[in-house]
Amino acid sequence: MTHDTSTHAVVPGKFVTFEGIDGAGKSTHVNAFVEALRDRLAPLGRQVVGTREPGGTPLGEKLRALVLEAPMDLETEALLMFAGRREHLARVIEPALQRGDWVVSDRFTDATFAYQGGGRGLSLDKLTTLERWVQGTRQPDLTVLFDLAPEVAARRLAGARAPDKFERESIDFFTRVRNEYLRRAAEMPGRFVVIDAEQTVEAIAAQLAGVLAALELPRA
Ligand code: TYD
């Protein structure tokens, strides 16, 4: 007997985010993760959209250039992060998930809680209000947090390239950012996987392969 699946609603895709302080090494791994996920999902007819924040849309990339360089009021900074996020959700993330594709974003709202909230001290209540406004109930299904001591991250970043506004911040700032990330991970253990980013690149890649293998994939 054959089943006609053409009338069935598409099973929505999943939303994965990568987070961590600057210099934790997530950029090295996020692209490899996207490629490995593509290899697993392609036979099931699903695409993987690799994207990033701030950014992810033409307008979002313009906002990124602004927020990473221009000095601005803290509340302006948070509002611009969420303005770019709204555009990203409306034009890229939600349409992809509705098509049944998967989305992997290099940073999302946890970064705003960690940097503008933990790092700069903006009220978490205000951020929660903006989060609800912009996202409704949308949350990542999985968040991979690269955790590293800020002193080690700073040594890795030193001399790598011209630092942006955030990368020029102090060890104290990154300690607060890290602590807020860890607080959120402890609060939402079902969503977060915390990676010890002091391990070798190979060890982290192996751990991420395990994360990938454990993902619940849709049926073909
Ligand atoms: P990052 O993602 O590290 O990109 P790159 O690897 O090219 O430097 O840089 C983005 C910076 O923006 C990073 O310092 C964290 C910061 N940021 C916030 O402060 N709030 C946010 O909501 C987001 C998404 C990022």
Side-chain angles (χ1 to χ4, degrees):
M1 197 170 89
T2 57
H3 294 276
D4 177 12
T5 54
S6 60
T7 55
H8 291 192
V10 177
V11 177
K14 294 233 159 117
F15 182 26
V16 181
T17 59
F18 277 63
E19 298 282 358
I21 63 170
D22 292 272
K26 85 189 147 46
S27 304
T28 312
H29 294 280
V30 68
N31 295 330
F33 186 87
V34 166
E35 289 309 319
L37 189 58
R38 270 194 186 126
D39 289 346
R40 289 203 62 196
L41 288 173
L44 308 174
R46 311 273 178 149
Q47 312 284 314
V48 180
V49 177
T51 187
R52 70 168 179 181
E53 287 203 1
T57 65
L59 175 61
E61 292 294 327
K62 287 187 189 165
L63 293 174
R64 176 187 176 94
L66 272 175
V67 290
L68 293 193
E69 293 307 336
M72 62 184 70
D73 176 76
L74 167 55
E75 315 241 347
T76 310
E77 187 176 279
L79 287 164
L80 289 180
M81 294 295 180
F82 273 107
R85 183 160 300 134
R86 177 64 213 162
E87 195 70 6
H88 196 200
L89 279 161
R91 295 190 189 272
V92 177
I93 299 172
E94 293 295 348
L97 297 174
Q98 298 319 319
R99 288 195 302 271
D101 293 337
W102 285 42
V103 177
V104 179
S105 186
D106 186 343
R107 299 193 187 281
F108 192 64
T109 303
D110 294 304
T112 319
F113 278 92
Y115 281 76
Q116 280 67 49
R120 299 221 200 280
L122 187 60
S123 122
L124 299 185
D125 280 351
K126 284 186 180 172
L127 294 176
T128 303
T129 302
L130 288 172
E131 178 186 37
R132 288 222 187 89
W133 180 16
V134 166
Q135 291 166 227
T137 57
R138 173 63 66 196
Q139 290 292 334
D141 297 291
L142 168 69
T143 298
V144 181
L145 173 60
F146 281 68
D147 181 57
L148 187 64
E151 294 80 2
V152 180
R155 280 203 295 278
R156 286 187 184 172
L157 276 181
R161 60 178 172 185
D164 65 34
K165 193 172 95 183
F166 294 99
E167 290 161 352
R168 287 192 292 269
E169 286 288 349
S170 66
I171 294 286
D172 281 356
F173 173 87
F174 283 109
T175 301
R176 294 193 299 274
V177 173
R178 179 195 196 191
N179 288 343
E180 179 59 18
Y181 270 133
L182 289 173
R183 197 190 63 75
R184 289 175 69 74
E187 194 176 82
M188 295 171 268
R191 168 158 76 86
F192 277 86
V193 170
V194 181
I195 305 260
D196 172 3
E198 202 161 349
Q199 300 175 93
T200 61
V201 169
E202 295 73 24
I204 293 172
Q207 204 176 339
L208 284 174
V211 170
L212 197 73
L215 286 175
E216 210 177 289
L217 300 182
R219 276 175 303 212

